Amino acid sequence: MLPIASSQLLLSLSAHWNAAHGQLQRYERAAGGDWEPVGAPVATALGRCGMAWGRGLHPPVAGPSKREGDGRAPAGVFAVTALFGDGPPAAAFRLPYRPARPSLKCVDDPASAHYNCLVDTAHTRPDWASCEDMLRPDRRYALGATVAHNTDPPAPGAGSCIFLHVWETPATPTAGCTAMALEDMRALALWLDAARAPLLVQLPAAEFARRQRAWGLPRR
């Protein structure tokens, strides 16, 4: 079920649907080969209310569905499409990189035509009542990656602004993103390669066990 063109995978697992923390393991595969782990697993902070099924590359699934403001990280299979951060791009980055400026926002208002989009207010007139600042004083967005959840086109209210990013503290969950230590986020950003069509697979452990074979997920 995973796209044949994808040869990089991030497997993010939690203990159960309501768990606010988990682990993330990198994998890669050669053409026609099995998924092989890369490096050690890293600790992650997830949504404060756990996970719910998101809108991504996986088929429709019965169960809890992610909604705007529910405090849940999206479960499912998603492309990882770009990087962003508050500094200049590293020469070794192999995903598109967008530097954060005070005018760069992520729109989380379901009524906006720009819902679930990164928008530069220097070039776009706001039509939203709420948004996230991508240049943050707490530096949780010092470096991050965009997860293609609820895109093409976004469904209003199905969740927005889902990223991999730097955690506030190891014990602090997120509003719905997947967060980790800065050094782990940096290693991840340097590893991700657009030519290898990287994916995020994010699931509670029981759902992973149920779908591992049918979805062609790594063996653990």
Side-chain angles (χ1 to χ4, degrees):
M1 185 225 113
L2 297 181
I4 295 174
S6 293
S7 59
Q8 286 186 329
L9 184 148
L10 305 171
L11 182 62
S12 172
L13 298 179
S14 67
H16 52 79
W17 280 109
N18 297 321
H21 296 85
Q23 282 196 329
L24 185 145
Q25 174 68 59
R26 290 180 285 162
Y27 289 87
E28 59 188 17
R29 65 182 176 185
D34 293 331
W35 291 107
E36 300 292 341
V38 176
V42 302
T44 57
L46 302 171
R48 62 182 178 274
C49 297
M51 293 187 201
W53 288 112
R55 297 181 71 240
L57 300 175
H58 53 284
V61 183
S65 295
K66 174 150 183 65
R67 303 299 299 168
E68 187 67 44
D70 63 2
R72 293 184 180 273
V77 182
F78 311 93
V80 181
T81 56
L83 301 172
F84 60 87
D86 61 11
F93 285 164
R94 291 170 291 172
L95 280 182
Y97 179 86
R98 189 162 189 176
R101 301 183 177 89
S103 56
L104 188 63
K105 314 293 182 182
C106 188
V107 180
D108 56 14
D109 178 0
S112 170
H114 304 286
Y115 179 61
N116 198 28
C117 294
L118 287 176
V119 178
D120 193 330
T121 56
H123 309 294
T124 303
R125 178 176 295 179
D127 69 344
W128 53 85
S130 62
C131 64
E132 285 196 47
D133 293 330
M134 296 304 294
L135 187 62
R136 300 175 58 115
D138 61 15
R139 301 210 70 215
R140 277 186 278 176
Y141 289 174
L143 183 60
T146 302
V147 176
H149 162 263
N150 190 26
T151 60
D152 300 324
S160 63
C161 307
I162 300 299
F163 306 121
L164 308 172
H165 66 78
V166 180
W167 60 25
E168 182 178 355
T169 72
T172 306
T174 73
C177 294
T178 299
M180 64 201 76
L182 176 60
E183 59 268 27
D184 293 327
M185 187 65 236
R186 184 177 292 115
L188 186 61
L190 290 167
W191 176 74
L192 291 166
D193 184 350
R196 304 188 70 178
L199 301 172
L200 170 68
V201 176
Q202 188 155 256
L203 295 166
E207 295 292 340
F208 169 81
R210 185 175 294 119
R211 303 174 195 283
Q212 184 267 330
R213 180 175 296 180
W215 287 13
L217 303 177
R219 290 189 290 268
R220 297 177 68 243

